[in-house]
Structure formats: C-alpha cells, structure tokens
Amino acid sequence: MALSSDTKVIASATAPGTSRRAVLSASDDCWTAPACPATLHLIPPAAVPARQVALTFQGGFAATSVAVYVAVLPNEDGGDISLGLELGGKIHPEDKNARQVFDIPWPPSIQPAPITEIKFEFETSADVHGRVTVYQVELL
C-alpha cells in the first residue's frame, strides 16, 4: 500500500532535481541521495499495520545494504513505553529497477505492531559514487 501523502519524509540529503516526497507515490519522479550513507525517515500520520516493505530503485543506483529502523505503538495495556526507533536488522536489495519486497526486520525488543516510524539507512550502493535513487517505498 502506498503511504499517505500526509506522511512526513525526512532525508539526509537530496540531489538537485529530485524530491524526497516522490517516494510516496507511484510516479516517474524519484528521490536521489548524492552519496552513501544516506537516510530516508518516514513518519506516517497514523500507525500503519505492516509486515513487509516494498522498495523500487533505479537499476545501477540501488542500495545494496540497508539498515532498517522501526518504531511502533506501545501495547494497549500501557505496559510498554515506546523507545522510538530501534534497529531491526538489514536487508540486501538487488541492483535492479523492479519492485522488491522484504519482510520488515523487527528488533528483538519489539513485537510486530503498527508502525509509527520507519527509517532506512542506505549503507552501500551499486553505483561507484555511492548514489541511491528510490522511486517508491510501500508498507505492506
């Protein structure tokens, strides 16, 4: 499912001629990070019940190692306190411009629950200069 247009998008850097908000829709627009490491932090207006993430890169400019951080709503009983973003693990996309679907890596301290924030840290890229180009991010 595409993220709401009201989703807050925070990017570490944006190359000229691209837009960080482009990742929210299925269009020909894109977001390009000029160098790795780079981050893309998404904060939806309401928690999203997701178990997978779909990423669409530009072939030749795909991230090859991505650290995924998640934050979830605390338990309904109020027993847990939300600690904010926690590292869930890493995913390793292929260098291709097709939609790629990954299970969201959950931190050991978090049970899968609706996501309040998700952050991607693009550590390495298929591009020799470290650029990463993302066309769309979906939470499934």
Side-chain angles (χ1 to χ4, degrees):
M1 134 173 106
L3 290 160
S4 161
S5 61
D6 293 334
T7 298
K8 184 175 182 179
V9 182
I10 304 165
S12 57
T14 301
T18 68
S19 167
R20 66 183 188 270
R21 299 207 50 81
V23 301
L24 299 177
S25 65
S27 70
D28 290 339
D29 294 330
C30 64
W31 168 73
T32 298
C36 284
T39 60
L40 189 63
H41 184 171
L42 306 173
I43 306 170
V48 177
R51 297 291 183 265
Q52 296 180 312
V53 61
L55 299 170
T56 306
F57 294 99
Q58 171 66 46
F61 297 91
T64 54
S65 179
V66 182
V68 181
Y69 297 80
V70 294
V72 299
L73 288 173
N75 284 345
E76 291 178 10
D77 64 9
D80 289 340
I81 297 172
S82 176
L83 300 175
L85 288 166
E86 291 187 53
L87 176 62
K90 295 186 182 187
I91 57 176
H92 300 280
E94 296 178 36
D95 182 19
K96 60 183 183 180
N97 61 343
R99 181 178 184 249
Q100 300 179 58
V101 178
F102 304 92
D103 288 335
I104 294 172
W106 295 95
S109 62
I110 294 179
Q111 295 297 316
I115 294 173
T116 57
E117 299 179 51
I118 190 163
K119 180 179 174 181
F120 303 96
E121 184 176 317
F122 303 107
E123 299 174 326
T124 58
S125 168
D127 178 54
V128 296
H129 300 289
R131 295 170 291 192
V132 173
T133 297
V134 180
Y135 279 94
Q136 188 174 22
V137 177
E138 300 168 88
L139 295 180
L140 310 171

